[in-house]
Amino acid sequence: MSYLEEIQVKNLDHLGIVAGLIDEIGIVKIINNKLGIDVREKISAGTVVKSILINGLGFVSRPLYLFSQFFQDKAIEKLLGERIKPDYLNDDKIGRVMDELYKYGLNDIFIEVVLEVIKKIKIDLKYSHLDSTSFHLDGEYKREEDKEKQEEEKIIKERPIFIKKGYSRDHRPDLKQCVLDLITSQDGDIPLFVRVGDGNESDKAVFGKVLVEFKKQIKFDSIMVCDSALYGQENLQLIQHLKWITRVPMTIKKAKELVQNIEVEEVKDEDKEKRSDLNLESYTWKEEIVTYGGIKQTWLIVLSEKRQKSDLEKLEKQLSQEEKKSQKFLKEIQSEEFEHPQAARYKLKAINKKLRLLEIKEVELIETYSKKKEKIYKMISLIIKKDEEISRKTKEAGKFILATNLVEENKLEASEILITYKNQQSTERGFRFLKDPLFFTDSFFVKKPERIETMLFLMSLCLLIYNLGQRELRNCLKRVKKGINNQVGKVTLRPTLRWIFQCFQGIHYVILNGVKQIVNLTEERRFILSLLPASC
């Protein structure tokens, strides 16, 4: 045997970290306990799920039918276990496992994983954030929909989702879609609850039910944070036993009145430094006690200086655009000949519907004759500003209202309410991760609604693993008070896990004359590993 034949080199890169995080949580064991182990199978369902998660966090785009190729040059026995071969991960095996996961109950498995994470790792669960997004899909997905049955079903449904057109957050209204509801912790953006819904589903119709179901599944005293889709009389009644913070939509009459008439409080000198420390120096607010939907609440009327400036600039731009548009309309209506006075006024009414801040007003309707000696009417008009509407928008600029049912003995500081709502972006960061073009399901390639739900479940597990690893790394860096270099060479205590993954490119698993070793582990890489969970 030649010298070269005694050497085997396999890529490990950052995938050892991913595999370690999966093992730290215990995902393989949870899946195998749920689905069982068939001794006739060469690879267990839990290990198949682990391989999908490793592939998902490999940041390469490979459809399922090329899945086994992903592991051809990887240290698969190191990542998945001894005697595991790449050809065990064929599309038939992966498809069967996905179907078994769906049949068992994706929600139940996800909750089990979350509870294991909460048990092993101390995550602050004081605040949880709910939001939704849509995923567009190619294909027909033709299924008959029983609307009456659909309305009667509970929020966690047994039927597959309906892939259909709806409000698209991806700005692809031409394509069918499904909706993903996500609840994350404020601490570390850890996904706590995931639900896949129909493509035409309305946030207002389901958010209250989602929160109620979440509280049934995970029993801890968390304050739920959500956008204005939650705020409605029916939802407030539904969640009256929960603690919540949400935004009040400006469609509510009381909200309009407060924003128009109330003056936010001036900041006292002694409070300026405190607000600066909280990064709230550009905000002022005023609190009001309000009863809406039969629920006593604190409403926080907030004025953001930055947003006010932006809103006023937009208002000025809108006014300028309407002035140009209205001049065109004015010229059009004054040059037109009408057979009847009513026809002229109908035309004027139709034009004014297209304007928001300006109005074309009739000055005089002149009776005259056309070149053919027929009686006609011509309208003399002028453009006027809608001063009341412009004043209303000027007063509203930069203002919004936050509401919470935490009053009296449970009352929160106004600054805490505002900071907590600003952290609503924790779910948005999760959505950006799931929709990243480098992620393994950027373009869905599964053809059954059940498989799509399962794929979103697996993607959400990837998000959980990624955010958990990032949280642990950042917390350890903070504890040891030592940073690492980021992409531009600056020391940081808050690196992204993706950058850490890049730092581990070039780690190899080498077998030389039967001796196994990992090469290219520099001191910096060893330091990073020391900050991550032991399984890594």
Side-chain angles (χ1 to χ4, degrees), residues 139-370:
E140 290 298 318
Y141 298 102
K142 291 180 180 178
R143 287 182 60 232
E144 292 298 320
E145 183 172 357
D146 187 339
K147 291 184 179 179
E148 291 184 7
K149 184 180 179 183
Q150 181 187 2
E151 289 170 2
E152 291 172 0
E153 285 168 338
K154 296 179 180 178
I155 194 70
I156 302 300
K157 54 193 183 311
E158 294 181 1
R159 64 164 176 81
I161 55 172
F162 289 102
I163 309 297
K164 58 196 309 179
K165 292 181 180 179
Y167 172 66
S168 175
R169 281 81 160 182
D170 295 334
H171 307 292
R172 290 299 307 268
D174 55 313
L175 294 177
K176 293 181 180 181
Q177 64 178 26
C178 61
V179 170
L180 179 73
D181 299 317
L182 178 67
I183 296 177
T184 61
S185 66
Q186 186 166 302
D187 176 17
D189 303 346
I190 307 299
L192 302 173
F193 186 87
V194 175
R195 174 187 167 272
V196 186
D198 301 336
N200 65 341
E201 191 172 84
S202 163
D203 291 349
K204 289 182 180 179
V206 303
F207 269 11
K209 296 173 185 176
V210 168
L211 292 184
V212 170
E213 188 62 35
F214 172 59
K215 282 294 185 179
K216 284 181 187 175
Q217 299 275 354
I218 301 181
K219 301 185 184 300
F220 52 77
D221 195 26
S222 190
I223 299 169
M224 304 307 307
V225 186
C226 190
D227 65 20
S228 59
L230 178 68
Y231 201 89
Q233 294 197 29
E234 187 177 336
N235 276 340
L236 294 185
Q237 287 294 326
L238 193 62
I239 62 169
Q240 59 181 307
H241 61 291
L242 306 179
K243 298 175 182 177
W244 49 262
I245 296 172
T246 186
R247 185 166 175 167
V248 180
M250 284 299 123
T251 51
I252 293 174
K253 185 179 177 182
K254 178 70 174 175
K256 287 181 181 178
E257 290 173 355
L258 281 174
V259 165
Q260 285 292 309
N261 301 317
I262 204 163
E263 292 295 329
V264 296
E265 297 173 347
E266 290 291 327
V267 184
K268 297 175 183 177
D269 290 338
E270 58 266 29
D271 291 335
K272 286 182 179 178
E273 187 176 345
K274 183 180 177 182
R275 292 196 186 186
S276 179
D277 291 340
L278 296 171
N279 200 25
L280 296 176
E281 62 268 26
S282 64
Y283 292 91
T284 49
W285 54 73
K286 185 175 177 59
E287 292 183 60
E288 290 281 315
I289 297 297
V290 173
T291 299
Y292 182 79
I295 309 294
K296 190 177 181 182
Q297 307 161 37
T298 298
W299 277 19
L300 190 68
I301 301 94
V302 183
L303 172 63
S304 164
E305 289 179 11
K306 291 179 182 176
R307 181 168 173 177
Q308 184 182 45
K309 183 181 178 183
S310 174
D311 287 350
L312 290 175
E313 286 173 355
K314 286 177 184 175
L315 180 61
E316 194 66 34
K317 186 177 179 181
Q318 186 182 354
L319 192 56
S320 175
Q321 289 173 340
E322 281 208 5
E323 283 173 351
K324 292 177 184 176
K325 191 190 292 185
S326 58
Q327 287 290 349
K328 187 179 176 182
F329 288 149
L330 180 68
K331 188 176 179 181
E332 180 185 323
I333 199 166
Q334 290 194 145
S335 62
E336 193 165 342
E337 298 176 349
F338 298 95
E339 293 182 3
H340 305 285
Q342 201 60 34
R345 290 180 179 125
Y346 277 139
K347 176 77 180 243
L348 182 63
K349 187 177 180 181
I351 284 174
N352 280 327
K353 282 183 178 179
K354 299 175 183 179
L355 301 173
R356 295 287 178 268
L357 306 175
L358 301 174
E359 182 181 11
I360 298 178
K361 195 171 181 66
E362 177 188 337
V363 175
E364 186 181 0
L365 203 60
I366 301 171
E367 182 180 310
T368 183
Y369 290 91
S370 68

Side-chain angles (χ1 to χ4, degrees), residues 1-8 513:
M1 184 178 293
S2 71
Y3 176 73
L4 288 176
E5 288 175 322
E6 296 174 5
I7 299 177
Q8 293 182 50
N513 295 325

